[in-house]
Amino acid sequence: MSENQRIQYSKIGVLSLAHMLNDLYSNYLPQMLPFLVALRPDFSATRAAILVSAFTITSSLVQPLFGYFLDRQGKRWLVYVGTLWMGIMLSLTGIVQNYLLLVILAALAGLGTAAFHPQASTMVNVLSGDRKAVLLSGFVAFGNFGFALSPLLLVPLFQTYGLHATLVTVIPGILVAILLLLYAPKNNVLVGSNTPLSVVLRSLKSAAPELAAIIAVIAIRSLAYTGMLTILPLYFKAQHLSNIAGSQLVTIMLACGAVGGVIGGFISDYYGRKPLIVGSLVLSTPLFFGFLYTQGTLSTIFLGLAGAALLSSFSVTVVAAQEAIPENKALAAGLTMGFAGGLGGLAVILIGRIGDTWGLTSAVTVIFLLPILAGLFGFFMKSHPAARMKRIAAR
C-alpha cells in the first residue's frame, strides 16, 4: 500500500470522536421537547416539528454548497469552527423564552454541522485507503452513537437542573474544537479540485438518474428518522412513560442503529450497495410495527432490530453517491448527508400536523411506513460490483 493509500487510523479516530459530539448536538433539540411541552401548554406537535426542522433544514440544505466549495479549496478550519459554533448556539436555547428566537437559534446552530459534515466525511474518505465503506461506516457509527447518547445524557440533565442547564453543554464543544484544531488533517492532505463549475454540472447531469434514486432513498429515510426523533418523545409522554423511560427507548433504537451502520458497511462491501440499501429498508417497516403492537421485552427487541435495519444503509448511501461522482466527494457528501436529509427535515412539519390533527399514534404509523417506501425507490439505483469483488479483480 502506497503512502497516499495508507490508512491513517488515528486521524480518522479524532474525526469520528468529533462526529460523535456533532451528532449528539444534532439530536439536542428533540430532547428538549417534553420539557418545553411541560413549560408551555401551547407548544404543539407542529411547533415541535418546526423547531426541529429549522435545525435540520439549515444543517442540511446548505451542505452541497459547502461541499462544492470544499472540493475546490479544502478548508480544514470549518470542522472545528463549525463544531464550536453549533455548541454555542445550542447552549443558548434553554435560556430564551421567545419561540421565534428559539427557532432562529436552532437554524443558526444547523449551519455549524453543515460546515462540519462535508469536510469531515471527505477527510475520512481521503484517509481510508481502500477500506472507505467500512471506515466511513465507523465514522457514521460514532455519529449515531452520539445521537444515541443524546437522550441518555441530556434528558437527566434537563430533568435535574432544568433547561437553563443547556449553558454547560458548550464545554464539550470547546474541547472537541480544540482537539480538531490540533489533529485534523492538514490542507495539503485534502487535494482540492480545480474542476470548472461547467464540468461539475456535466458530471452531475451524467450521474443524475443514479443520484436522483439515492437522494429519494435518503430523503424518505431522513423523514422517517427525523420524524421518529421528533414525535416518539411526545408519543411516549402521551403513553404515560416517564421522560427517562422514553429517552432510554430512543437510546436503544439509536445505539442499535449505530451497530447496524457498521454491519451494513461490511455487508455492502461483500454483496453490493443496492442489495443492502433495499433489503434493510424494506425489512425495517415490519420490525417497527412489531415494536408498536407488542409489549415488554419483545417490543424493545423489535425496536432495536428496527433501528439497526433503518440505519444500516446510512453510510452506504453516502459512499454510493461518492462513487457516482468520484471527482466531487465533498459535493456528494453534501448532497446525501445534507440536501437529501434536509428535504426529509422539511417534510417532517407535515408529520407534526398529522399528529395534531389525527393523533400521535397516526403520526407514528405514517412514520413507520416510510422506510419501506424508501426501499422501493432503492430499486431504481444502479447495481455495481461489490467493493470486495473490485479488490479481487485489481490484484
Side-chain angles (χ1 to χ4, degrees):
M1 188 177 293
S2 69
E3 184 70 26
N4 290 336
Q5 294 176 315
R6 185 173 299 150
I7 300 173
Q8 299 187 42
Y9 290 103
S10 60
K11 291 182 178 179
I12 293 172
V14 170
L15 291 166
S16 297
L17 178 64
H19 192 206
M20 182 170 68
L21 178 73
N22 266 267
D23 279 12
L24 188 152
Y25 279 150
S26 294
N27 194 18
Y28 192 106
L29 294 171
Q31 312 321 313
M32 297 177 62
L33 297 180
F35 301 95
L36 290 170
V37 169
L39 291 171
R40 307 173 190 180
D42 62 337
F43 201 88
S44 63
T46 301
R47 280 196 160 198
I50 291 171
L51 178 63
V52 175
S53 291
F55 176 89
T56 304
I57 291 166
T58 56
S59 68
S60 303
L61 292 181
V62 299
Q63 276 197 41
L65 299 178
F66 278 110
Y68 173 71
F69 172 68
L70 293 170
D71 275 329
R72 298 175 64 84
Q73 307 213 15
K75 298 295 185 183
R76 73 185 293 269
W77 58 266
L78 285 169
V79 293
Y80 51 85
V81 171
T83 297
L84 181 60
W85 173 267
M86 182 165 57
I88 292 171
M89 293 299 108
L90 289 175
S91 72
L92 297 174
T93 55
I95 62 173
V96 300
Q97 301 298 317
N98 182 275
Y99 176 73
L100 178 60
L101 182 56
L102 186 61
V103 172
I104 291 172
L105 283 173
L108 290 174
L111 294 175
T113 194
F116 172 85
H117 277 92
Q119 180 68 96
S121 62
T122 301
M123 287 174 171
V124 172
N125 186 292
V126 170
L127 300 173
S128 294
D130 62 353
R131 295 291 184 271
K132 297 186 188 306
V134 171
L135 290 174
L136 189 62
S137 294
F139 171 77
V140 170
F142 268 83
N144 289 335
F145 276 122
F147 261 94
L149 286 173
S150 196
L152 203 62
L153 298 177
L154 294 177
V155 170
L157 178 68
F158 299 153
Q159 183 93 34
T160 304
Y161 299 105
L163 289 181
H164 282 76
T166 58
L167 287 172
V168 305
T169 62
V170 73
I171 296 172
I174 294 172
L175 296 176
V176 171
I178 293 171
L179 194 64
L180 287 167
L181 171 63
L182 296 174
Y183 295 107
K186 304 299 181 184
N187 279 340
N188 59 357
V189 175
L190 308 172
V191 181
S193 168
N194 293 318
T195 308
L197 179 60
S198 60
V199 176
V200 173
L201 292 176
R202 280 199 298 271
S203 175
L204 287 174
K205 183 178 179 181
S206 65
E210 174 82 344
L211 287 174
I214 295 170
I215 288 172
V217 168
I218 297 172
I220 299 171
R221 186 188 63 198
S222 173
L223 174 56
Y225 186 50
T226 308
M228 289 177 201
L229 295 177
T230 305
I231 300 300
L232 282 181
L234 303 179
Y235 173 77
F236 291 145
K237 188 175 182 69
Q239 297 298 309
H240 307 294
L241 283 177
S242 69
N243 292 332
I244 298 294
S247 70
Q248 289 171 346
L249 285 174
V250 174
T251 294
I252 289 170
M253 180 186 75
L254 295 175
C256 291
V259 175
V262 175
I263 296 172
F266 279 102
I267 293 174
S268 75
D269 266 354
Y270 272 80
Y271 299 105
R273 317 289 185 221
K274 181 176 177 178
L276 181 279
I277 292 169
V278 173
S280 62
L281 288 170
V282 169
L283 178 63
S284 63
T285 286
L287 289 172
F288 275 119
F289 279 107
F291 155 72
L292 193 62
Y293 292 112
T294 58
Q295 295 181 340
T297 302
L298 181 61
S299 178
T300 304
I301 291 172
F302 271 123
L303 181 62
L305 292 174
L310 179 69
L311 296 181
S312 64
S313 63
F314 203 96
S315 63
V316 178
T317 46
V318 178
V319 176
Q322 289 177 330
E323 290 173 344
I325 46 174
E327 299 303 319
N328 296 278
K329 292 181 175 64
L331 176 59
L335 285 169
T336 51
M337 300 176 78
F339 177 73
L343 294 178
L346 180 62
V348 82
I349 297 172
L350 299 177
I351 302 295
R353 177 58 66 183
I354 291 171
D356 285 335
T357 305
W358 290 289
L360 292 172
T361 301
S362 297
V364 169
T365 300
V366 171
I367 290 168
F368 287 172
L369 286 170
L370 290 172
I372 197 169
L373 178 62
L376 294 177
F377 272 95
F379 279 109
F380 294 97
M381 293 176 56
K382 291 181 180 179
S383 295
H384 298 284
R388 180 177 68 96
M389 300 307 296
K390 291 180 181 178
R391 288 197 292 269
I392 292 172
R395 289 175 184 171

